Each structure stands twice: as structure tokens, then as C-alpha cells.
């Protein structure tokens, strides 16, 4: 098989550049040196024995791909620092490969494999046409040119390249028109993709543009399933076709050579050459057209695969909306063109969607999300953007929105539309939403800033109970700055010794005796002074410092009690520490507590562990195992905020706890509220039934003390008796027992 290097090299160059390879070679399986090459390993810095090893590796890969011909591309990394990729190339008696070499360790992508597979087919087509004589010149050079043009085409430049190739074909064959048509199953028609040269005066409607398959014109009816080349000349009796061409172009008589674009069993379209008047089309010309048609089919397949990958990369699989990547890139382009573009970003989140998934299942939940996505799309204008970020989170860009009030009105309309019940799987599902809004203002903003500010506004809407719209403003901006400062400083606050423990005493209401202290964490902020836990604990949880801070608090509380015992004859009898759910169910928590007790010489009964009722109910099985371990140590156990977590008697009976701490919400208005008195009375009776002690939280007035004593709750803590105290002041309370606190 004779092969012209000058014809093949442009194709190999296009392949190498498209795959970022240092060389592309065509080798015969029994040969030593490449028949045609572009680039070289030597030029890339390989020398000496490395060149020989590289050649051996390429020859071995060639033998392997020929042996596995039909199984696709084969890769190898036999040479350290280089990657090889080969595909079989066979034509008549030629058996060999097209082989790529790339420097580095980056793996070959699916796109690289598709390009190499396409290159193998293109090389075979060039080899086929090299045997064809033509009155116009060498057909293999034409096919090689077309192949190199099509090698690196993407969906973006497909139209431009297609027109350029049609022009080269038309000029080469001295045709008056060169055209490409595709079959469109959705339209059940043949569609004109492009033509060279383009007609200056196109009728409307264009009789040559979209031609239905069921037309009376037998030529267009035939090309739907055309499998072989078709030649037409004036006088062949196809007057309907000639009339259609004359109506579309004004040319009364034409000759046509048409070849089908065949993929498997499907005819994808046709490639055609047209001559005004009569002309004879040679076999060589038709065979060349067939070779080029096969290249176009491969190009279609590659571009379709590229578009599919692009669609998956930029669209949400469930809803078909843009995903975060597409949204960010699009908004970046808008802001790059006009940093002060009048637009609003809306961050929307469904309220309590988890209930739908838990009760009706995730399939119904997914269908509901699809319905919500469609409603959001229907609620905005065609030029607005709707994207799904994750779960039930959506983001919307409203263009040409110049004021906050306009953005807020649009958001409320969307909120009302989304709240209308949706029929999903036989269920009428209604869920409200929350929306955070930010308007691009006088100061240019980045995408991250707009999204972040809309997210802050959304969180504020959620905190208001949902079903609301919140517009980002200066107050929320200050909130962001404060939170950012907290997050930044909290990461080093523990190691910088900025955390403090305060202790709130607990008293026996009958004689004023201190019965224990509760450890409460404070932060000595370098600039804002002493901060209570409420100011930073949510940030601690969000940045995953709960475990680190919790263990610091537990150890510091034990250390402080040990210090009190060394320096005072009347230390607090017990220190209580609140423990988070994450700490409680960590694998080594019981062992950690045992280690602290030994390290600081404390009796187990001197340490109290408090957990909230909601924590117990959420993870009751894991919590119970840990509580049993702590009970085995002899540590005192209390349920904090009791009455708010909806525990059942059966669950309470399972837990090895000693104390129920009555939530402050039932104590603050105890003297005036008959309902609160009834709840506290019920909790006291319940505790008595289970042989538990009750401690009231949040006692702030003497009337509450009297009522608690009357109800049988004898222990309490609150500002009426004592605010949280620094460690050095606690001993004063312990040394000076008070008097009975009942009002007389």
C-alpha cells in the first residue's frame, strides 16, 4: 500500500495538536520505522536509549492493536513519563496502527480516544481515495484536507467549519452548489443544514429548507432511507424535483451527485454536489464523496457525544435546569460585560421538604422538585435564569431589575406561585418556600458575593419561620462581617487561651445551700470583650469545632473543681457540663471522661453530664449506650431543657438519668401562667415516679421560688439567686450558705 506522507501529515498534525501529543505515527505491524510521522520524541527531549525504548514500545503497541482490531483504542504507559495510545489501521493488504505519544502522566480522556478512533477511520478514507484518478487532481489530498479540517471541530465551530468544507468541495469539483442535509425524525423531514454558496434570494417559505418525507417529490421521499449514491441528470424524468429546485433557486435544470450519511442502520442525511445544467459524475468523484460523507458521520457522532457531555456538565439531571457551574459561568459573563448590570439574584429554598421525603418517599419528593422547578421556570421571563444548586435549593437571576422593591415584588409572586398545591403521585402536596434577594448595586459585585449575600438573606428568611422574602441590606451585611470575624478568630481562640469558663450556681430552695455549679463557656474576644455562648456557638457548630471546644470545657471544668477542692474546705459539691450530641456518641467519650476523673482526682459523683432532651430523642439508641457507660463510671446524668423534646414515658424509662432540668420557658412566667404551673407539676410528678430529682432553670423572681416549692421542685438556678460567676467568685457563694428563699 503506497502512502503519501505529505497527504497524511496534516491529518496527523491535527490529531496530535487536538490531543496535546508530542508525536503521531502511522506504522505497519511488521515494520520498524513509522511510514508517516508528525512530531518526534527526540524533539521533545527524549534521547539515547530512551528513543530506542520508545520505538520498541510503539511497535509493541502496534502489534497489540492489530491483534485486537475492532476492540477500540489501546493505551500503554510502558515508558516512564510518557503515555501511548494506539488504534488499528487496516486497508486492503495494509495492517498497522495510528499511535500517539504524550509526555507526562495525565490519563487519556474519552475525547482523546474518540479523536484517535476518528483519525483511524479518516486515514483509511485517505488511503482509499489515493487510488482514485481524478480530472481535478489528487482526491487523497482533498480527503486528507477535509479530515484535518474536521479533526478538531467542536460544537462551537461546527457550522463555520462545515461551510468551509462545503466550499472546498464545490470549488474542487467545479460544482455550482454543494449542500448538506440532515434527516430530522422529530420533524419527519429532510432539513437543509448548509449550502455553498448560500443563495442570495431565499423564498419564504423556502421549498428547499425543510422538506417533509411524505412529500410528493420522489427524490426527497427517497433520501430518507438512501443507502447508496444517487445520480440525477436532466431528462431523467424527475420533473417534480427539478421544479422544486427551480422554485428555490431559479435554476431550471440541474445535475446532482448525492451520497448518504450512514451510521449503522440509519441514514443521517445526504451530502450532495449540484451542477447547473447537465454533467457526468465519475465513479472516482462519487467514491471521494462517500469517503468524505463517512468523515461527516463520524464528526456528527463526536459532536453529539461532546454536546451530551456538555449538557450533563451544565444541567441538573433531575430537573433539566442549569446547575451551579452553568449558573456561575453565565453570571460571570454578564458581570464581566457590565459590572453594574441591573439584575437581582434570588436564592430560594423549600420549607420542610424533608417531611415529604420521610412520609411519601424520595420518588414522590423528586417528582415534587421537578414540579417546583417547572413552576419557577414558568414564573419568570424567558431571558431570566433559573438553576438548581442542590436538593431543594434554587437560584434565580432576574435581568433588568433596577430596584429592590421590584425584586421583592417579583420574589413574592414566585413565592405565591410555588405555594399552590401540586398533584404528585395521587397526593396534593403544598409547601411554602423562603427566598433571599440581593440586587446588584452601585458597587460592582462578584458572583460569589451576590450568591453569598442572597444566602444570608435566605437564612434570615428561614429564621423568621419560612414562607417569607428577605432582601439583603446593610444590617445583614454587618451580620456577615461579624460572622466572618467570629469564624476567622474562633479557629485559633482555643489554642490562644481566649476561652473562659463561668459557673452558674444551683441552689436548694429550702435552705439556700449551693448544690452544684453549671459550667458555661465564654469567649474573651480580643476586640469585643467577653461574649456569651449564644454569640458564637452556632458558628462553632458550623465550622466543626464543637468536639474540640466541648472537650476543652469538660477538662477545664474538672481542672477547676480539683483546684477548688485543694484551696477551699467548702468547694462546690459538683460541676455540671453540657455535652453536644456529637461528643456524646463519639467512640471514646466514656474513656475520655474516665481519664479526666483519674487525672484530676475527682470522684465520679462530683461530675455531672447534661444533655438536651432533643439530643436524647434524636439518637436515643447511641445515646443510651454512652449513658450506660457513664452510669457505669458513677457520673451524674441530667436531661437539660426537659419538656421541649417530646420524649415519651417509655423512652424516659430506658434512660439511666438522675435529674430532669425543667426548661426555663415553663419557669419564667410560672406564677402567672396556670398552663406553665400544670406542666411543671406534671414534670415533678413524673420525676417522682421515676425516682428522679428536678432542677428548675431560669428562676428570675421570688414568686417563681414560692411556686416551685409549692409544687415540690426544691432545686433551681437562675438570675434571682445568682448570675454566672467567674471561678474565683464561686467559692464566696459556697462559703456563705444562704437562708431559705421562700417569701414570707
Amino acid at each position: 500500500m503506497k502512502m503519501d506522507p505529505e497527504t497524511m501529515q496534516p491529518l496527523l498534525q491535527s490529531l496530535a495538536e487536538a490531543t496535546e501529543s508530542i508525536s503521531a505515527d502511522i506504522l505497519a505491524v511488521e515494520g520498524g520505522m513509522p511510514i508517516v510521522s508528525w512530531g518526534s520524541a527526540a524533539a521533545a527531549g527524549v534521547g539515547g536509549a530512551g528513543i530506542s525504548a520508545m520505538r520498541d514500545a510503539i511497535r509493541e503497541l502496534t502489534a497489540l492493536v492489530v491483534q485486537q482490531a475492532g476492540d477500540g483504542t489501546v493505551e500503554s504507559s510502558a515508558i516512564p513519563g510518557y503515555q501511548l495510545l494506539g488504534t488499528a489501521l487496516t486497508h486492503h493488504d495494509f495492517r498497522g496502527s495510528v499511535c500517539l505519544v504524550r509526555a507526562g502522566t495525565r490519563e487519556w480522556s474519552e475525547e482523546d480516544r474518540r479523536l484517535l478512533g476518528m483519525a483511524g477511520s479518516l486515514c483509511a478514507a485517505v488511503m482509499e481515495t489515493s487510488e482514485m484518478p481524478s480530472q481535478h487532481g489528487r482526491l487523497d489530498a482533498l480527503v486528507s484536507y477535509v479530515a484535518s479540517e474536521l479533526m478538531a471541530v467542536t460544537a462551537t465551530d461546527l457550522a463555520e467549519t462545515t461551510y468551509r468544507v462545503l466550499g472546498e468541495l464545490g470549488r474542487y469539483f467545479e460544482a455550482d452548489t454543494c449542500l448538506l442535509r440532515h434527516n430530522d425524525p422529530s420533524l419527519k423531514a429532510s432539513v437543509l443544514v448548509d449550502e455553498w454558496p448560500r443563495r442570495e434570494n431565499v423564498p419564504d417559505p423556502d421549498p428547499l429548507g425543510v422538506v417533509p418525507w411524505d412529500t410528493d417529490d420522489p427524490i426527497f421521499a427517497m433520501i430518507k432511507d438512501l443507502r447508496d449514491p444517487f445520480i440525477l441528470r436532466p431528462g431523467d424524468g424527475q420533473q417534480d424535483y427539478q421544479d422544486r429546485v427551480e422554485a428555490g433557486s431559479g435554476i431550471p435544470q440541474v445535475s446532482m451527485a448525492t451520497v448518504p450519511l450512514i451510521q449503522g442502520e440509519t441514514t443521517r442525511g445526504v451530502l450532495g454536489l449540484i451542477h447547473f445544467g447537465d454533467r457526468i459524475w465519475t465513479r472516482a468523484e462519487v467514491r471521494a464523496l462517500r469517503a468524505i460523507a463517512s468523515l461527516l458521520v463520524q464528526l456528527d457522532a463526536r459532536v453529539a457525544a461532546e454536546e451530551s457531555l456538555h449538557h450533563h456538565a451544565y444541567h441538573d439531571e433531575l430537573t433539566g435546569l442549569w446547575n451551579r457551574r452553568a449558573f456561575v459561568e453565565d453570571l460571570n459573563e454578564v458581570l464581566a460585560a457590565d459590572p453594574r448590570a441591573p439584575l437581582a439574584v434570588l436564592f430560594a429554598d423549600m420549607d420542610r421538604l424533608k417531611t415529604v421525603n420521610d412520609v411519601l418517599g424520595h420518588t414522590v419528593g423528586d417528582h415534587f422538585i421537578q414540579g417546583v422547578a417547572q413552576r419557577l421556570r414558568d414564573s419568570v421571563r424567558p431571558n431570566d435564569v433559573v438553576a438548581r444548586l442542590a436538593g431543594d435549593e434554587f437560584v434565580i437571576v432576574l435581568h433588568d431589575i433596577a430596584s429592590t422593591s421590584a425584586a421583592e415584588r417579583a420574589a413574592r409572586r414566585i413565592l405565591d406561585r410555588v405555594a399552590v398545591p401540586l398533584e404528585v403521585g395521587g397526593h396534593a402536596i403544598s409547601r411554602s418556600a423562603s427566598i433571599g434577594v440581593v440586587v446588584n448595586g452601585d458597587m460592582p459585585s462578584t458572583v460569589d458575593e451576590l450568591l453569598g449575600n442572597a444566602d444570608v438573606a435566605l437564612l434570615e428568611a428561614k429564621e423568621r419561620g419560612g414562607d417569607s422574602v428577605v432582601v439583603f441590606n446593610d444590617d445583614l451585611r454587618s451580620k456577615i462581617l461579624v460572622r466572618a470575624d467570629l469564624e476567622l478568630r474562633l479557629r485559633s481562640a482555643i489554642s490562644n487561651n481566649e476561652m473562659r469558663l463561668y459557673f452558674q450556681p444551683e441552689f436548694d430552695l429550702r435552705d439556700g445551700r449551693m448544690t452544684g455549679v453549671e459550667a458555661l463557656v465564654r469567649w474573651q474576644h480580643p476586640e469585643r470583650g467577653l461574649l456569651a455562648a449564644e454569640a458564637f456557638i452556632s458558628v462553632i457548630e458550623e465550622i466543626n469545632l464543637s468536639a474540640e471546644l466541648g472537650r476543652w470545657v469538660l477538662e477545664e471544668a474538672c481542672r477547676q473543681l480539683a483546684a477548688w477542692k485543694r484551696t477551699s474546705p467548702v468547694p462546690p459539691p459538683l460541676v455540671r457540663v453540657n455535652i453536644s450530641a456529637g461528643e456524646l456518641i463519639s467512640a471514646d467519650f466514656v474513656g475520655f471522661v474516665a481519664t479526666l476523673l483519674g487525672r484530676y482526682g475527682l470522684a465520679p459523683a462530683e461530675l455531672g453530664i447534661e444533655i438536651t432532651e432533643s439530643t436524647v430523642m434524636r439518637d436515643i439508641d447511641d445515646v443510651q449506650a454512652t449513658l450506660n457507660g457513664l452510669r457505669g463510671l458513677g457520673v451524674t446524668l441530667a436531661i437539660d431543657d426537659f419538656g421541649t423534646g417530646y420524649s415519651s414515658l417509655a423512652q424516659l424509662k430506658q434512660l439511666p438519668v438522675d435529674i430532669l432540668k425543667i426548661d426555663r420557658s415553663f419557669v419564667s412566667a410560672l406564677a402567672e401562667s396556670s398552663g406553665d404551673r400544670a406542666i411543671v407539676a406534671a414534670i415533678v410528678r413524673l420525676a417522682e415516679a421515676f425516682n428522679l430529682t428536678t432542677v428548675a432553670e431560669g428562676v428570675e423572681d421570688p414568686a417563681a421560688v414560692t411556686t416551685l416549692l409549692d409544687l415540690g421542685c426544691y432545686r433551681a438556678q437562675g438570675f434571682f439567686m445568682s448570675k454566672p460567676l467567674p471561678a474565683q467568685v464561686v467559692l464566696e457563694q459556697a462559703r456563705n450558705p444562704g437562708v431559705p428563699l421562700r417569701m414570707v
Side-chain angles (χ1 to χ4, degrees):
M1 169 60 63
K2 183 180 178 181
M3 192 177 301
D4 183 3
E6 290 186 7
T7 303
M8 288 295 196
Q9 280 180 341
L11 174 56
L12 295 181
Q13 178 179 356
S14 296
L15 172 64
E17 290 174 348
T19 57
E20 299 181 6
S21 301
I22 62 173
S23 68
D25 300 313
I26 297 176
L27 296 90
V29 69
E30 70 280 358
M33 297 298 292
I35 297 172
V36 183
S37 294
W38 183 87
S40 70
V46 183
I51 290 288
S52 298
M54 182 73 74
R55 289 173 180 165
D56 289 342
I58 293 174
R59 284 193 290 270
E60 291 172 4
L61 185 59
T62 298
L64 181 60
V65 296
V66 170
Q67 179 184 350
Q68 299 181 4
D71 294 336
T73 57
V74 177
E75 65 181 272
S76 170
S77 56
I79 306 300
Y82 295 89
Q83 305 295 315
L84 277 62
L85 187 70
T87 191
L89 174 59
T90 60
H91 180 68
H92 296 331
D93 59 346
F94 180 83
R95 297 166 64 246
S97 76
V98 183
C99 184
L100 295 173
V101 177
R102 184 161 67 193
T105 58
R106 180 164 59 91
E107 295 183 357
W108 299 101
S109 67
E110 287 303 315
E111 178 66 7
D112 294 331
R113 296 172 185 276
R114 278 194 293 271
L115 285 170
L116 180 57
M118 181 178 176
S121 300
L122 299 183
C123 289
V126 174
M127 294 164 73
E128 173 77 15
T129 52
S130 68
E131 303 169 356
M132 303 175 188
S134 171
Q135 61 186 0
H136 306 290
R138 290 177 45 192
L139 287 171
D140 61 339
L142 171 67
V143 176
S144 178
Y145 161 77
V146 173
S148 62
E149 282 286 292
L150 300 181
M151 176 58 63
V153 170
T154 65
T156 304
D157 53 15
L158 174 62
E160 177 187 346
T161 304
T162 299
Y163 183 72
R164 189 166 61 248
V165 167
L166 291 178
E168 290 297 327
L169 292 178
R171 284 185 287 267
Y172 184 89
F173 289 108
E174 298 178 358
D176 292 300
T177 297
C178 187
L179 59 89
L180 180 66
R181 304 189 70 91
H182 277 177
N183 289 335
D184 189 330
S186 63
L187 296 177
K188 296 182 179 180
S190 170
V191 179
L192 180 64
V193 175
D194 211 340
E195 59 186 343
W196 176 91
R198 292 176 180 137
R199 288 168 287 161
E200 293 183 3
N201 300 306
V202 179
D204 186 15
D206 182 6
L208 300 175
V210 178
V211 183
W213 291 331
D214 61 358
T215 178
D216 293 334
D217 185 333
I219 300 298
F220 277 97
M222 173 191 64
I223 65 175
K224 170 180 178 289
D225 297 309
L226 188 68
R227 304 295 292 180
D228 297 303
F230 177 77
I231 304 297
L232 174 72
R233 297 174 66 190
D236 285 348
Q238 301 292 347
Q239 195 56 44
D240 288 338
Y241 174 76
Q242 297 286 1
D243 290 345
R244 181 184 293 274
V245 171
E246 184 174 6
S249 64
I251 307 300
Q253 296 288 321
V254 299
S255 299
M256 177 177 67
T258 303
V259 293
L261 307 174
I262 297 175
Q263 184 176 32
E265 300 300 318
T266 303
T267 300
R268 300 288 302 275
V270 293
L271 172 66
L273 294 176
I274 292 179
H275 178 77
F276 298 161
D278 195 9
R279 171 184 167 159
I280 296 174
W281 303 95
T282 68
R283 287 187 178 181
E285 290 170 338
V286 173
R287 290 174 68 187
L289 282 180
R290 293 189 74 170
I292 292 170
S294 72
L295 307 185
L296 292 172
V297 169
Q298 294 178 63
L299 174 64
D300 278 348
R302 186 167 64 82
V303 170
E306 176 192 334
E307 289 178 330
S308 177
L309 288 173
H310 183 275
H311 186 274
H312 287 299
Y314 285 87
H315 289 80
D316 172 57
E317 184 176 357
L318 179 63
T319 64
L321 296 175
W322 277 3
N323 59 17
R324 178 185 288 271
R325 177 180 179 181
F327 165 80
V328 169
E329 289 187 10
D330 180 72
L331 189 52
N332 265 325
E333 289 181 9
V334 171
L335 295 177
D338 181 4
R340 294 178 174 82
L343 59 84
V345 176
L346 281 58
F347 206 144
D349 184 88
M350 302 305 296
D351 296 329
R352 301 178 300 281
L353 184 65
K354 185 176 183 296
T355 305
V356 175
N357 290 328
D358 291 346
V359 175
L360 300 178
H362 285 276
T363 299
V364 172
D366 286 347
H367 289 320
F368 178 70
I369 287 293
Q370 290 171 331
V372 169
Q374 187 58 51
R375 282 198 173 165
L376 291 175
R377 184 65 266 177
D378 294 342
S379 299
V380 299
R381 300 159 297 179
N383 66 321
D384 295 327
V385 172
V386 181
R388 180 179 180 230
L389 300 189
D392 57 350
E393 293 181 347
F394 298 88
V395 65
I396 302 165
V397 176
L398 302 177
H399 291 286
D400 301 317
I401 295 288
S403 69
T404 298
S405 58
E408 186 172 7
R409 286 195 301 272
R412 293 195 180 280
R413 285 196 301 269
I414 293 171
L415 211 61
D416 293 340
R417 181 76 178 270
V418 169
V420 175
L422 268 169
E423 288 290 334
V424 181
H427 305 278
I429 303 176
S430 176
R431 276 292 175 272
S432 61
S434 301
I435 298 180
V437 179
V438 61
V439 176
N440 194 35
D442 295 333
M443 296 297 293
S445 298
T446 65
V447 173
D448 286 343
E449 288 170 343
L450 289 172
L451 264 181
N453 293 345
D455 189 26
V456 169
L458 172 64
L459 293 175
E460 182 70 19
K462 287 287 190 182
E463 289 180 7
R464 295 181 185 181
D467 192 21
S468 60
V469 173
V470 171
V471 179
F472 186 79
N473 54 30
D474 289 339
D475 290 340
L476 289 179
R477 191 184 307 278
S478 298
K479 189 174 182 179
I480 288 180
L481 295 175
V482 169
R483 192 206 177 283
D485 173 76
L486 292 178
E487 180 176 339
L488 181 65
R489 294 178 182 272
L490 275 170
R491 294 189 182 279
S492 58
I494 299 173
S495 59
N496 289 346
N497 196 31
E498 294 173 4
M499 291 299 173
R500 305 285 185 268
L501 277 192
Y502 272 51
F503 299 88
Q504 184 165 30
E506 170 192 302
F507 296 93
D508 188 319
L509 299 179
R510 294 167 295 188
D511 58 14
R513 177 176 51 88
M514 184 189 296
T515 54
V517 291
E518 179 181 358
L520 302 172
V521 68
R522 300 287 186 265
W523 178 19
Q524 190 65 51
H525 190 282
E527 296 172 0
R528 297 172 57 195
L530 192 68
L531 301 180
E534 291 78 9
F536 61 87
I537 203 67
S538 62
V539 182
I540 286 283
E541 293 169 353
E542 290 174 20
I543 62 177
N544 297 317
L545 286 179
S546 297
E548 181 181 352
L549 178 61
R551 295 212 167 192
W552 179 87
V553 170
L554 189 56
E555 179 159 9
E556 180 63 15
C558 290
R559 186 200 64 77
Q560 185 58 61
L561 181 56
W564 283 329
K565 290 174 65 178
R566 288 195 305 271
T567 58
S568 172
V570 191
L574 167 144
V575 62
R576 300 191 195 281
V577 180
N578 283 284
I579 300 299
S580 68
E583 294 174 81
L584 194 66
I585 62 177
S586 61
D588 62 339
F589 184 72
V590 175
F592 178 69
V593 171
T595 298
L596 292 182
L597 293 174
R599 179 180 302 163
Y600 294 105
L602 300 180
E606 293 177 320
L607 176 63
I609 297 295
E610 295 187 3
I611 54 174
T612 63
E613 186 182 8
S614 58
T615 295
V616 173
M617 295 306 106
R618 185 171 64 246
D619 303 297
I620 189 165
D621 292 335
D622 292 334
V623 166
Q624 184 171 356
T626 303
L627 294 182
N628 286 333
L630 294 171
R631 168 55 62 87
L633 293 178
V635 171
T636 302
L637 303 173
I639 297 180
D640 198 13
D641 301 334
F642 189 79
T644 62
Y646 311 107
S647 58
S648 68
L649 293 179
Q651 291 168 325
L652 185 61
K653 184 178 179 181
Q654 297 176 38
L655 300 174
V657 297
D658 308 287
I659 294 170
L660 301 182
K661 298 190 74 173
I662 303 171
D663 187 73
R664 65 182 63 249
S665 63
F666 305 121
V667 176
S668 58
L670 190 58
E672 297 82 22
S673 172
S674 59
D676 288 346
R677 283 198 302 275
I679 291 172
V680 172
I683 293 174
V684 172
R685 299 290 84 77
L686 179 65
E688 291 174 349
F690 286 103
N691 197 28
L692 304 176
T693 301
T694 53
V695 176
E697 300 180 288
V699 176
E700 298 184 359
D701 58 72
V705 173
T706 300
T707 305
L708 287 170
L709 288 169
D710 290 342
L711 294 175
C713 177
Y714 303 126
R715 293 165 67 171
Q717 60 187 105
F719 281 15
F720 175 64
M721 289 84 74
S722 175
K723 295 181 179 180
L725 305 171
Q728 61 271 24
V729 181
V730 170
L731 290 180
E732 295 299 320
Q733 291 276 13
R735 292 193 191 100
N736 299 292
V739 296
L741 295 168
R742 178 192 290 273
M743 295 294 295
V744 291

